[in-house]
Amino acid sequence: MSAGHPDDPGRLMLISALAGAGGIGKTWLAVQWAHEHATEFPDGQLFVAFHGFSPSEVSLHAADALRMFLEALGVAPGCIPPDVATQMNMYRSLVANKRMLIVLDNAATDEQVEPLLPNSPACTVLVTSRKTLSLLITRYSAEHLPLTLLREDEAHQLLAQRLGHARVAAERDAATELIRLCGRHPLALALTASSACTRPRLSLTEFTAELRELGLAALDGDDPLTSLPTVLSWSLRRFTGQQHTVFAFLGIAPGPDISLLAVAKLTGLNEGQVASVLQHLEQASMLDRNPDHRYSMHDLIRAYADATAHSDLSEEIRSASLRRVVSFYAQTACAADRLLAPHRKAIQVASAVPGVKAASMTDGGAAMAWFDAERAGLLAAQHIAKTSGWHDEVWQLAWGLTTFCERRGQRQDQLTVRQATSEILEFLPGPAAKMNTLRNLGHAYTHLGCHEEAVKNLHLALDLAVECDEPIHEAHRLSGSAR
């Protein structure tokens, strides 16, 4: 950030709005910057914390902040006007043409901030919030500064400053793993460093193991200001019931990211409702929107969303939600595969959930693009289906991924989905499906050079073909065994 040119009377008042998730370092950055640039504001600095997201249910009103500023500017309490409009005019008169820095910290709404804007080109304003304050950007041309995670080198530097360069250098691999487990999140790293700092005799490897085992629980604590789950919970207090529920659902969604349409299936809402809720979560810095209407969460925020789902939603609701999205993935995968390989024998894919239908696609190009985007989610969906006992979705997803995996050379993925199907042979619809599963698994092992396993499964398929008197399938199996 730059303070601009306060001596230029023609410039507009500079407003920088720092936005980011809880614990990302917004207040620290604003205070640090204010300290480093203090000489550029000879007429002083004003600071107010609105407590928009804090342990207290009550955040500071603009009127209270105005009174605080007026008193800081030398106005006697008895001389402060009773109404907000007059207070605001007095405040703006007192700071007019003064080179001052105004820091408005932890604001929850635009309405809290707007009356504190000095309306003077000589002033600079820093605003921090977990939300994107759209009014400041559109009405006052505020510079939006989203704070993201630390870079890898910055994270190492933070640990070295807290723990000492020698300790971090001596266990660099463990330090790198700590950074990965913390997701380069500043508060998570600070909490981990604090714990390690108070136990200098323990190796960083021990803290890494603890963080890997306990996850978000390792970053909890008695002090709400230094507990990451508690800090994140303050954002949820301002969510509506629907926003809270969608946030929780996202914590159990398959895969590292998810499309708008898949979120609609996950939540049972229509796409318009989902888009509105996701926009709010994004503005609240609890969700990231990526290209092509895909959404993701920081690992620690997602872990918190998952914990929220398990504490606030019943197992029945969670299961129904996952069944909807897994069924959607299975149906769409089979429909997309049909576009890629129209010569393949068609299979009947009936939805296990009424009203859930496959996504619409026009051609093979769209199908490949969908598979590329959803690959990780499809693998996660099949795993969920397997552990949940949803056998139809297990083999349907394996079937649907066949052509895509072959074209992209995803041989390990091919083996994974076919192994999952082979584990539910007794639930497959008929001997043909069982033979295809064993044959395809054999081919997957062949492609990876695992010839012993390949022959074993191809022989099992052949035995089944002979037993069922299926000469065509028997020929396929013999052909596969000869490769």
Side-chain angles (χ1 to χ4, degrees):
M1 293 182 296
S2 169
H5 303 283
D7 292 327
D8 179 6
R11 81 172 182 92
L12 296 175
M13 172 180 56
L14 178 65
I15 307 173
S16 294
L18 284 69
I24 205 72
K26 301 178 295 296
T27 300
W28 179 89
L29 178 60
V31 172
Q32 182 74 11
W33 188 89
H35 175 72
E36 291 176 356
H37 293 82
T39 57
E40 298 176 30
F41 305 100
D43 296 315
Q45 300 182 14
L46 295 172
F47 178 95
V48 64
F50 282 107
H51 306 294
F53 303 91
S54 70
S56 172
E57 293 287 349
V58 180
S59 61
L60 192 69
H61 292 290
D64 297 321
L66 274 171
R67 293 186 66 88
M68 292 168 59
F69 276 6
L70 289 172
E71 290 183 17
L73 291 167
V75 180
C79 298
I80 297 177
D83 62 291
V84 174
T86 308
Q87 290 175 6
M88 186 169 60
N89 290 334
M90 177 181 283
Y91 161 66
R92 289 180 172 174
S93 296
L94 289 171
V95 299
N97 299 318
K98 289 186 177 180
R99 292 168 57 180
M100 299 190 70
L101 174 65
I102 292 92
V103 180
L104 309 176
D105 182 53
N106 200 10
T109 66
D110 293 283
E111 290 73 24
Q112 280 180 311
V113 172
E114 192 174 17
L116 278 298
L117 299 180
N119 197 27
S120 171
C123 291
T124 293
V125 182
L126 295 182
V127 185
T128 75
S129 178
R130 296 190 186 186
K131 291 184 62 178
T132 299
L133 300 177
S134 303
L135 182 101
L136 295 185
I137 298 168
T138 56
R139 184 178 295 180
Y140 297 97
S141 300
E143 182 181 5
H144 177 55
L145 298 173
L147 295 194
T148 55
L149 305 172
L150 296 174
R151 298 192 311 268
E152 188 80 17
D153 60 320
E154 291 172 333
H156 271 285
Q157 185 178 1
L158 186 152
L159 285 182
Q161 288 174 343
R162 299 293 181 91
L163 302 177
H165 290 273
R167 187 178 182 187
V168 171
E171 295 188 78
R172 188 164 184 83
D173 289 344
T176 299
E177 179 67 2
L178 275 179
I179 290 169
R180 186 191 68 79
L181 292 171
C182 289
R184 292 180 284 118
H185 191 286
L187 179 56
L189 282 166
L191 292 174
T192 302
S194 176
S195 182
C197 187
T198 58
R199 300 167 184 149
R201 290 184 296 176
L202 299 184
S203 69
L204 296 185
T205 303
E206 289 191 48
F207 292 101
T208 301
E210 181 179 279
L211 191 55
R212 188 186 299 112
E213 179 182 353
L214 299 179
L216 197 62
L219 303 172
D220 203 352
D222 296 331
D223 184 353
L225 294 175
T226 58
S227 165
L228 185 57
T230 303
V231 168
L232 293 176
S233 75
W234 300 336
S235 292
L236 266 64
R237 292 183 179 181
R238 293 187 173 273
F239 286 3
T240 65
Q242 187 179 73
Q243 292 162 354
H244 186 109
T245 302
V246 171
F247 173 77
F249 276 139
L250 289 171
I252 61 172
D257 66 349
I258 190 168
S259 69
L260 177 66
L261 183 55
V263 178
K265 304 305 179 185
L266 181 74
T267 60
L269 302 174
N270 63 50
E271 290 181 61
Q273 291 172 312
V274 166
S276 176
V277 174
L278 294 180
Q279 183 179 32
H280 179 90
L281 297 182
E282 181 191 3
Q283 290 176 339
S285 302
M286 299 296 274
L287 184 71
D288 295 319
R289 177 174 169 177
N290 305 314
D292 300 322
H293 291 281
R294 299 191 67 80
Y295 299 85
S296 62
M297 288 174 161
H298 184 276
D299 288 347
L300 294 176
I301 293 179
R302 174 153 184 169
Y304 179 67
D306 178 76
T308 301
H310 282 80
S311 65
D312 296 0
L313 305 177
S314 68
E315 183 176 352
E316 182 180 3
I317 290 175
R318 297 196 308 272
S319 179
S321 170
L322 288 172
R323 191 71 187 270
R324 284 193 301 268
V325 74
V326 168
S327 178
F328 162 73
Y329 278 138
Q331 290 182 72
T332 306
C334 290
D337 181 78
R338 187 68 177 158
L339 290 172
L340 296 177
H343 59 280
R344 287 187 76 195
K345 180 181 178 181
I347 61 171
Q348 297 297 320
V349 183
S351 174
V353 183
V356 175
K357 299 179 180 179
S360 177
M361 294 179 209
T362 55
D363 54 35
M368 285 298 288
W370 183 82
F371 276 120
D372 283 330
E374 299 288 0
R375 171 182 162 267
L378 292 168
L379 295 174
Q382 195 205 37
H383 178 73
I384 290 171
K386 185 181 74 172
T387 57
S388 301
W390 302 333
H391 307 305
D392 284 346
E393 284 85 351
V394 173
W395 70 262
Q396 287 167 3
L397 283 163
W399 176 279
L401 279 160
T402 297
T403 306
F404 167 74
C405 286
E406 289 175 352
R407 292 191 182 180
R408 287 286 185 258
Q410 300 285 359
R411 293 178 175 177
Q412 188 59 53
D413 288 354
Q414 207 166 44
L415 177 62
T416 298
V417 297
R418 289 174 176 177
Q419 281 177 326
T421 308
S422 72
E423 294 173 14
I424 59 161
L425 277 180
E426 61 183 299
F427 300 102
L428 296 183
K434 296 176 182 179
M435 286 183 284
N436 273 324
T437 295
L438 292 168
R439 176 196 177 199
N440 290 336
L441 181 57
H443 290 164
Y445 276 121
T446 298
H447 292 150
L448 288 171
C450 303
H451 299 297
E452 185 176 339
E453 288 296 327
V455 170
K456 173 184 174 182
N457 283 279
L458 289 170
H459 280 171
L460 287 173
L462 179 60
D463 293 343
L464 190 56
V466 172
E467 181 182 335
C468 297
D469 193 21
E470 292 281 354
I472 293 178
H473 288 290
E474 186 175 345
H476 281 312
R477 250 48 77 192
L478 288 170
S479 173
S481 297
R483 292 182 183 181

